[in-house]
């Protein structure tokens, strides 16, 4: 059994991403055109902005795959494997107290939450919490209830 769960970005994160990228590029262009020569500050600014935009894109959640033994949290350049038999609990989570340290808004929420979840979220209304003995993950997917039911079925078999 191989099942894929697609991940779409919510309208809020689409608008936030566009606005933040537009703001960062606008500030950079303003600084570049008002500076007569290229200096170290501009190079540091553009290097940081481009790194943040590209890095957040590459690490943002792409899809969630489930097979008989594992869950795969897939980004553009990284795949996290979670063995199904190591899962203590899996449940839906509310978005109420979602404070994270990391990228907030560019391509979603990527980072570590205050309650120590590893977050990769593109839609705050479709959250799934996966808890292991030594790690916790908070992800989103288009069909969170189906993902939970699939994993619970595999865990019980």
């Amino acid at each position: 059994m191989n099942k894929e769960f697609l991940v779409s970005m919510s309208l809020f994160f689409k608008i936030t991403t566009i606005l933040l990228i537009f703001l960062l590029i606008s500030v950079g262009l303003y600084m570049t055109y008002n500076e007569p020569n290229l200096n170290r500050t501009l190079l540091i600014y553009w290097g940081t902005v481009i790194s943040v935009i590209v890095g957040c894109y590459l690490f943002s959640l792409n899809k969630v795959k489930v097979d008989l033994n594992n869950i795969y949290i897939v980004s553009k350049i990284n795949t996290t494997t979670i063995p199904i038999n190591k899962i203590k609990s899996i449940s839906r989570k509310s978005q109420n107290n979602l404070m994270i340290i990391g990228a907030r808004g560019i391509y979603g929420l990527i980072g570590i939450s205050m309650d120590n979840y590893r977050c990769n979220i593109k839609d705050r209304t479709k959250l799934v919490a996966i808890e292991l003995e030594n790690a916790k993950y908070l992800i989103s997917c288009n069909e969170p209830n189906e993902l939970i039911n699939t994993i619970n079925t595999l865990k019980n078999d």
Side-chain angles (χ1 to χ4, degrees), residues 4-64:
E4 282 190 10
F5 296 90
L6 298 177
V7 179
S8 299
M9 200 178 334
S10 68
L11 180 63
F12 173 77
F13 284 130
K14 285 179 186 175
I15 291 170
T16 304
T17 298
I18 290 168
L19 290 175
L20 287 173
I21 290 173
F22 177 76
L23 176 71
L24 290 171
I25 290 175
S26 296
V27 167
L29 290 175
Y30 177 78
M31 288 179 2
T32 302
Y33 288 123
N34 287 331
E35 192 65 36
N37 53 6
L38 196 60
N39 61 28
R40 189 180 334 161
T41 306
L42 284 176
L43 292 175
I44 291 171
Y45 179 83
W46 281 112
T48 304
V49 166
I50 291 169
S51 298
V52 166
I53 292 171
V54 171
C56 289
Y57 174 74
L58 292 175
F59 283 103
S60 68
L61 188 60
N62 199 20
K63 61 185 163 188
V64 179

Side-chain angles (χ1 to χ4, degrees), residues 1-7 61-75 79-82 84 130 139 141 147 150-151 154:
M1 169 189 170
N2 287 332
K3 209 165 195 181
E4 282 190 10
F5 296 90
L6 298 177
V7 179
L61 188 60
N62 199 20
K63 61 185 163 188
V64 179
K65 294 166 78 174
V66 178
D67 66 16
L68 290 173
N69 301 315
N70 298 310
I71 303 168
Y72 303 97
I73 302 171
V74 182
S75 68
T79 300
T80 303
T81 304
I82 302 172
I84 291 177
I130 303 170
I139 59 172
C141 71
L147 173 65
T150 301
I151 293 168
L154 290 170

Side-chain angles (χ1 to χ4, degrees), residues 144-155:
N145 292 330
E146 188 178 338
L147 173 65
I148 292 169
N149 291 336
T150 301
I151 293 168
N152 281 332
T153 302
L154 290 170
K155 253 179 71 170

